[in-house]
Amino acid sequence: GAVVSQHPSWVICKSGTSVKIECRSLDFQATTMFWYRQFPKQSLMLMATSNEGSKATYEQGVEKDKFLINHASLTLSTLTVTSAHPEDSSFYICSASAGEGGYTFGSGTRLTVV
Amino acid sequence: QQQVKQSPQSLIVQKGGISIINCAYENTAFDYFPWYQQFPGKGPALLIAIRPDVSEKKEGRFTISFNKSAKQFSLHIMDSQPGDSATYFCAASIWRNTPLVFGKGTRLSVIA
């Protein structure tokens, strides 16, 4: 089945630094990638939708200058958390539409900002 | 406005029993209704999904029941096992290339 590889699985960074999270579709072309954030014991909240070769569409309340999304190819989408602060600590998950296979999710990235 | 309402928030079931989780949606344009299982520290994994042209779908111990007129769908886990203890999310979308909207999740604990 369709697989999305997400890296890193966890990262600790200092406040004020930037962190990049990568999601790669391994055996299919992901025209559209979705990025979610999940706080402990809560549901997945959509942050943005990215389409290959175009600018991402951000949900209301999500700072586009803080959460930079790049979808430069059909197999790679990245999320960069810029100038991270402790309140950005969360679980970030990417998802891709895999045609008839529905949606497939990455394994998630646990970001801790100290 | 929450578009997918999920209940219960938590559920405790005896081993071998039936676990039932319910969801209701508001947007009649939704036409894809999946259920996901998530273990701590992992991404959601698709369990089973249904389109609105059928009222029930079964895969192994997992069954989705779908009521289009009531705008409700539910997950039944038969012969629940301790290994089924996880958080379950219902979701809905307009098929393909639109994002999934998730319910708030149900924490299932199956006790021996």
Side-chain angles (χ1 to χ4, degrees), chain B residues 18-56:
Chain B
I18 303 174
S19 303
I20 302 174
I21 306 171
N22 301 297
C23 280
Y25 63 97
E26 299 167 6
N27 188 348
T28 55
F30 287 148
D31 61 0
Y32 177 68
F33 304 90
W35 283 91
Y36 287 87
Q37 179 189 59
Q38 186 180 34
F39 292 103
K42 303 295 184 183
L46 177 67
L47 267 180
I48 187 171
I50 199 168
R51 303 292 303 278
D53 52 343
V54 297
S55 60
E56 186 174 281

Side-chain angles (χ1 to χ4, degrees), chain A residues 35-46:
Chain A
W35 287 92
Y36 293 85
R37 179 168 54 184
Q38 185 178 33
F39 291 106
K41 298 184 179 181
Q42 293 189 21
S43 188
L44 287 79
M45 296 301 297
L46 180 69

Side-chain angles (χ1 to χ4, degrees), chain A residues 55-75:
Chain A
K55 290 184 178 180
T57 302
Y58 291 82
E59 295 300 298
Q60 191 173 14
V62 177
E63 300 174 59
K64 63 180 180 180
D65 294 331
K66 181 171 190 59
F67 299 99
L68 301 179
I69 292 173
N70 185 283
H71 195 162
S73 78
L74 288 171
T75 58

Side-chain angles (χ1 to χ4, degrees), chain A residues 2 28-32 34 96-104, chain B residues 32 46 51 93 95-97:
Chain A
F28 69 102
Q29 294 183 331
T31 308
T32 304
F34 307 102
S97 174
E100 291 298 329
Y103 301 78
T104 186
Chain B
Y32 177 68
L46 177 67
R51 303 292 303 278
S93 74
W95 180 232
R96 300 200 197 179
N97 297 331

